[in-house]
Amino acid sequence: MAESKREIDYSVYLVTGRDLLPPGKDYLESLEESLRGGVTIVQIREKTTETGEFLEVARRSQALCRKFNVPILINDRLDIALAIGADGVHIGQTDMPIAVAKALLPPGAIIGMTCNTPAHVAQAVKDGADYVGVGPVFATQTKNVASPMLGVRGLQDILAPLEGTNVKAVAIAGIKYTNALQCLYGAVRPSGLGLDGLAVVSDIVASHEPEAAARKLATVVHAFKSTIPHIFSLSQHPYTSQYIKENAAQLFPAIRRHGPLVQQITNTVVTTQSANATLALGASPIMANAPQEMADISKAIGGLLINFGTIQSLDGMIEAGKHANINRKPVVFDPVGVGASQYRRSSANSLLNTWQATVIKGNAGELAAIANSQEVRAKGVDSVGQGFKNPALFVRDLARRERCIVVLSGKTDYVSDGTTVVSLNNGHPLLGDITGSGCMLGTCIAIFCAAASMEATPEDGKLVSGDMFIAAIGGVLALTLASEKAAARDDVKGSGTFLPALIDELGKLSPEEVVALANVEVVSV
């Protein structure tokens, strides 16, 4: 072992598992191909192997790792690590204490520890671990997991004790190429720090083409780490009111140019009017909610809206969002009435732990429930009380925590990407007199996100390309400006005549009108 520690790249952390090899695939052949594909560190895990065989496997594995200058760690077995001169060990909560391992290992040895709670992480930091493996993030078949799944939303809490330290972190359990970006996005904390890598087993070991599997994962992780896209916006752009209005306005012709297919899992009350609003703006609706068809549909759509109003197919919502993430399509989550019942709250948590939302849109009561805030209460789908004392600060902080764009709807609408907050002061009171105007707002946002994504060039490190901050604002402006124009028509006498007029005006809005009429203000927080 080296006497001083070198800088370790934890990006693609391979944990071996010979029992997972596909038929006809040799272990050493698979390992060498994985290293060629971009694995940056290897942990040898042999839970049921006798000492002699373990030692031989470790020695041969080390020879390959040395060939590629990749560090090799041994799981649990300090004797094996010492025997081959491994770069370090990985130990679990019930294994040898870190202090004992440090005393036995030579200086410079790497020590990692599995952690399932924030307390575990805090103790590992105190004891002097070099890195922590945090999880289980997702369900896994590769090891017996006694601890409850953290889910992506739990990663920020468990990583919090690492703030201000040099201890690194990798996510473990159920990590695959298909959920890698979701995991990386969800783990980024408000400070901008997140995971240093992803620990993978079956996605590489069980592959017939481990080199290709490792390369796909490495490409995603390195691209993400090179930019750290905290949010779905152009984080380096100095957003101004005029810039926002002009760029939101340009999405109106983009919608008509691309005609995106927008999938909407929405409540039964608003299905028809949401579909009509979609057509009016120049997009196409598909109201599909069967989980069996999500893999196919997600490849064809431009964007996805998941509206929580009537939870008819939670499995469909889970599968739709998961496949939208896999295919890098924007996901708009409208948690209608989420605070009304424990079932809705737990279901929302399940959804947000399964896929990464691009935009979360809701009224004060709904977003308070998502944030576990007691400041605003909800009665059914409506908010109760005066609202947030500082709505701009609330949406900014929620956007940072959920790593997405947040839209707070109300008399004044607030939109944030976690850095910039914008207030929008358009709209007519008649919107509050028709059923489902808030749901139509979610539809509009999903349409604009789809168009913005289709306008952009896909990037490896981004879950969704395009400026989703501008897109969300464009969706809000579309409905609110159309409502003002509809209410001003001579043929509108009340809510009954307002709705069809609103659909008409959605189809008539021009970019010039948006720039001229939009009331957009960048808010200091």
Side-chain angles (χ1 to χ4, degrees):
M1 297 183 190
E3 293 189 356
S4 60
K5 291 178 183 175
R6 55 174 164 143
E7 192 68 27
I8 303 298
D9 183 358
Y10 292 92
S11 297
V12 184
Y13 184 126
L14 175 65
V15 181
T16 63
R18 289 189 294 157
D19 56 318
L20 297 172
L21 289 166
K25 197 71 175 179
D26 176 72
Y27 164 71
L28 292 174
E29 174 191 19
S30 174
L31 178 58
E32 182 164 8
E33 290 178 23
S34 303
L35 291 164
R36 196 179 297 123
V39 165
T40 59
I41 186 168
V42 174
Q43 178 196 135
I44 306 300
R45 187 171 69 188
E46 295 281 333
K47 288 292 186 181
T48 60
T49 304
E50 301 228 352
T51 299
E53 184 180 354
F54 194 162
L55 184 61
E56 185 64 20
V57 169
R59 280 176 173 161
R60 293 191 176 188
S61 300
Q62 183 184 47
L64 281 176
C65 288
R66 292 286 182 265
K67 178 180 176 181
F68 290 89
N69 196 31
V70 168
I72 184 170
L73 310 178
I74 303 299
N75 179 268
D76 294 348
R77 296 287 299 272
L78 192 65
D79 57 333
I80 300 293
L82 288 167
I84 71 166
D87 294 283
V89 295
H90 182 89
I91 52 184
Q93 287 295 314
T94 59
D95 298 324
M96 182 179 296
I98 290 177
V100 176
K102 276 182 172 292
L104 295 174
L105 290 167
I110 302 164
I111 299 178
M113 173 161 272
T114 298
C115 295
N116 313 118
T117 68
H120 287 168
V121 174
Q123 189 63 47
V125 171
K126 182 179 178 181
D127 292 343
D130 296 289
Y131 77 91
V132 291
V134 294
V137 183
F138 303 109
T140 177
Q141 302 299 317
T142 61
K143 61 184 292 188
N144 293 323
V145 177
S147 301
M149 283 190 297
L150 290 173
V152 174
R153 298 180 88 205
L155 285 174
Q156 290 190 34
D157 292 336
I158 199 171
L159 292 173
L162 298 183
E163 293 284 358
T165 77
N166 291 319
V167 179
K168 308 302 182 182
V170 296
I172 57 177
I175 309 296
K176 301 178 180 180
Y177 168 74
T178 53
N179 59 28
L181 268 178
Q182 178 204 356
C183 193
L184 291 166
Y185 266 84
V188 178
R189 289 160 278 160
S191 65
L193 299 174
L195 294 167
D196 296 282
L198 300 176
V200 180
V201 190
S202 63
D203 204 42
I204 293 177
V205 178
S207 173
H208 287 278
E209 298 180 331
E211 180 177 348
R215 182 169 289 113
K216 284 171 62 179
L217 192 65
T219 298
V220 165
V221 177
H222 289 305
F224 180 90
K225 290 174 71 173
S226 69
T227 58
I228 306 293
H230 303 167
I231 22 109
F232 297 95
S233 63
L234 306 180
S235 57
Q236 302 305 313
H237 196 283
Y239 289 107
T240 64
S241 174
Q242 191 63 24
Y243 174 88
I244 291 169
K245 289 192 287 187
E246 289 176 353
N247 283 270
Q250 289 310 306
L251 289 176
F252 282 80
I255 294 169
R256 297 183 177 100
R257 185 164 57 249
H258 292 287
L261 179 65
V262 179
Q263 181 184 1
Q264 301 176 52
I265 301 179
T266 190
N267 68 76
T268 55
V269 177
V270 301
T271 302
T272 300
Q273 63 201 56
S274 294
N276 286 335
T278 304
L279 292 169
L281 283 168
S284 297
I286 179 169
M287 277 39 183
N289 59 20
Q292 297 86 348
E293 59 183 342
M294 296 310 171
D296 292 330
I297 287 177
S298 65
K299 297 173 184 176
I301 61 172
L304 168 68
L305 167 68
I306 294 182
N307 179 304
F308 221 46
T310 49
I311 308 176
Q312 294 177 299
S313 178
L314 186 62
D315 288 342
M317 294 177 179
I318 287 173
E319 289 300 310
K322 182 171 70 176
H323 286 287
N325 277 177
I326 291 172
N327 289 288
R328 313 286 180 91
K329 306 295 175 66
V331 181
V332 177
F333 182 39
D334 189 351
V336 176
V338 65
S341 68
Q342 180 56 42
Y343 175 68
R344 285 176 181 265
R345 289 190 291 271
S346 64
S347 296
N349 192 55
S350 295
L351 294 176
L352 293 172
N353 267 326
T354 304
W355 39 256
Q356 173 66 48
T358 312
V359 179
I360 297 177
K361 168 262 157 193
N363 61 32
E366 291 158 352
L367 295 188
I370 291 291
N372 293 317
S373 168
Q374 302 301 313
E375 189 175 354
V376 179
R377 294 181 296 111
K379 182 179 180 182
V381 299
D382 298 317
S383 301
V384 178
Q386 299 300 311
F388 297 106
K389 292 180 181 178
N390 191 335
L393 179 63
F394 172 82
V395 296
R396 188 203 68 180
D397 289 349
L398 183 59
R400 286 183 177 181
R401 196 190 83 174
E402 296 295 338
R403 316 315 306 165
C404 68
I405 310 300
V406 170
V407 177
L408 170 61
S409 61
K411 184 176 181 181
T412 296
D413 301 301
Y414 291 88
V415 185
S416 180
D417 63 356
T419 302
T420 304
V421 182
V422 169
S423 67
L424 307 173
N425 285 284
N426 290 101
H428 193 276
L430 278 172
L431 279 173
D433 294 336
I434 61 172
T435 298
S437 59
C439 299
M440 289 177 67
L441 179 59
T443 291
C444 292
I445 292 170
I447 294 166
F448 276 75
C449 287
S453 176
M454 295 172 81
E455 285 279 282
T457 301
E459 300 177 54
D460 286 324
K462 290 192 173 182
L463 202 55
V464 175
S465 298
D467 195 333
M468 299 296 110
F469 182 49
I470 293 292
I473 292 170
V476 175
L477 290 175
L479 188 68
T480 54
L481 289 173
S483 74
E484 291 178 352
K485 293 185 66 183
R489 286 172 37 162
D490 292 337
D491 59 333
V492 172
K493 308 300 181 183
S495 58
T497 48
F498 173 70
L499 178 56
L502 177 63
I503 301 296
D504 287 345
E505 296 303 328
L506 273 173
K508 295 179 181 178
L509 276 174
S510 68
E512 294 75 21
E513 287 176 306
V514 174
V515 174
L517 301 175
N519 190 341
V520 178
E521 180 183 353
V522 178
V523 182
S524 297
V525 179

